[in-house]
Amino acid sequence: MAPTSVSPEFDKVGYWSPNTASIDWCENNYVVTPYIAEFWNAISSFAIVAVAAAGYFLLPKSCPRRFSVLMQSYAVLGIGSVLFHGTLRHKMQLLDELPMLYSATIVVFICIENKFGKVGQWVPFALTAWLIITTILFSTTTGTLQSASFQGTYITMQLCMIYFLRAFHVQRRAIRPNPMTSTVIRLATSTAVMAATVWLTDYRLCVYVNGVSPESILPLNPQFHAWWHCFTGVAIYSASVLVIYYHYDIRNEQPSLYLWKGLLPALSIPSPSKTKLQ
């Protein structure tokens, strides 16, 4: 948890005070305006909304509904993050963290079906039960227990996604190599590493980088958590594009990857008639 008593600047009182969230990030509270607790963390969360909106409109036509739901869940996540950082209230924190868990669960479900094909009703049932249990846990606990249990759960889901993506890449590279998959993997990996670096710095070394405490080695707060939003938005989106790509590639539907506007990975699917000719 970021320090909350390092200086009067860090402990400013604002419209939403007192803070009831289980964690207070390293951005100094209510500095820009008395109506937004963490201004830069809140504003940067719109990057996640923007990436999710772009991903939604770039989805192939007539794609399975789960893909559009996934992009919509990222948009909800971004909006929840805006509300959480803007207020530092516990209920708003849930609107940030629970969509993270739900979107990660959707990705894992898609990966399972990519790997094993249709798996019947037991997998959705098990994942739904998992979500109910974790939702109750995160909603009824506070402090270190709530924060640690959420982080452990979310990291576990992300490691599952990485495992599946690695397996898909190795398998399909031998059958139908596509250099663009490596490009998207590098983009997802590099932004994920940068996201983890700035997140850990903000979380663990706040007292040295907040720009206001006596121990700070920086004159200004570089807003590392705000950068986390930008980097992680691109990382989770890129990884999701890969998951969707392998959904079509495993089914031999000849998908292709490209960089939309030279920035974001996107997917195109040939018409069924062209696929049959190939």
Side-chain angles (χ1 to χ4, degrees), residues 13-224:
V13 174
Y15 181 81
W16 301 101
S17 298
N19 303 340
T20 58
S22 65
I23 189 167
D24 183 356
W25 297 98
C26 196
E27 180 177 353
N28 306 334
N29 299 337
Y30 297 106
V31 171
V32 177
T33 169
Y35 298 102
I36 302 178
E38 296 177 341
F39 180 84
W40 296 111
N41 286 349
I43 294 301
S44 63
S45 298
F46 283 110
I48 301 173
V49 180
V51 170
Y56 179 83
F57 288 108
L58 289 171
L59 285 172
K61 294 181 179 179
S62 302
C63 67
R65 180 165 174 74
R66 68 193 64 174
F67 300 154
S68 59
V69 171
L70 176 61
M71 293 302 167
Q72 290 166 354
S73 72
Y74 288 146
V76 172
L77 189 165
I79 294 170
S81 182
V82 172
L83 296 174
F84 166 43
H85 290 291
T87 65
L88 290 179
R89 305 293 293 181
H90 181 254
K91 290 182 179 178
M92 298 300 105
Q93 181 180 0
L94 295 177
L95 291 181
D96 173 29
E97 294 180 346
L98 290 178
M100 289 176 69
L101 180 63
Y102 299 158
S103 61
T105 304
I106 294 172
V107 170
V108 170
F109 174 69
I110 296 171
C111 287
I112 290 173
E113 288 213 329
N114 285 352
K115 179 71 172 177
F116 302 106
K118 294 294 183 179
V119 290
Q121 297 298 318
W122 71 271
V123 171
F125 178 81
L127 290 176
T128 300
W130 160 268
L131 289 179
I132 292 173
I133 293 171
T134 51
T135 298
I136 294 173
L137 174 64
F138 300 153
S139 302
T140 57
T141 57
T142 58
T144 302
L145 174 61
Q146 192 274 344
S147 181
S149 60
F150 165 74
Q151 291 171 17
T153 302
Y154 185 70
I155 290 172
T156 299
M157 302 297 282
Q158 293 301 298
L159 290 176
C160 289
M161 180 191 68
I162 292 170
Y163 164 78
F164 281 115
L165 281 177
R166 172 64 180 168
F168 298 151
H169 182 64
V170 171
Q171 176 190 6
R172 300 305 299 177
R173 181 175 56 187
I175 299 172
R176 183 175 175 266
N178 182 351
M180 271 301 296
T181 59
S182 297
T183 299
V184 179
I185 288 172
R186 285 193 293 269
L187 175 62
T189 302
S190 60
T191 50
V193 169
M194 288 187 286
T197 300
V198 295
W199 188 91
L200 286 169
T201 302
D202 184 90
Y203 187 69
R204 294 294 185 184
L205 303 176
C206 177
V207 70
Y208 302 110
V209 297
N210 59 39
V212 296
S213 66
E215 298 89 347
S216 179
I217 60 176
L218 300 178
L220 297 173
N221 190 329
Q223 310 300 343
F224 283 130

Side-chain angles (χ1 to χ4, degrees), residues 220-238:
L220 297 173
N221 190 329
Q223 310 300 343
F224 283 130
H225 195 78
W227 286 107
W228 144 263
H229 291 150
C230 299
F231 290 138
T232 199
V234 175
I236 61 174
Y237 168 78
S238 301

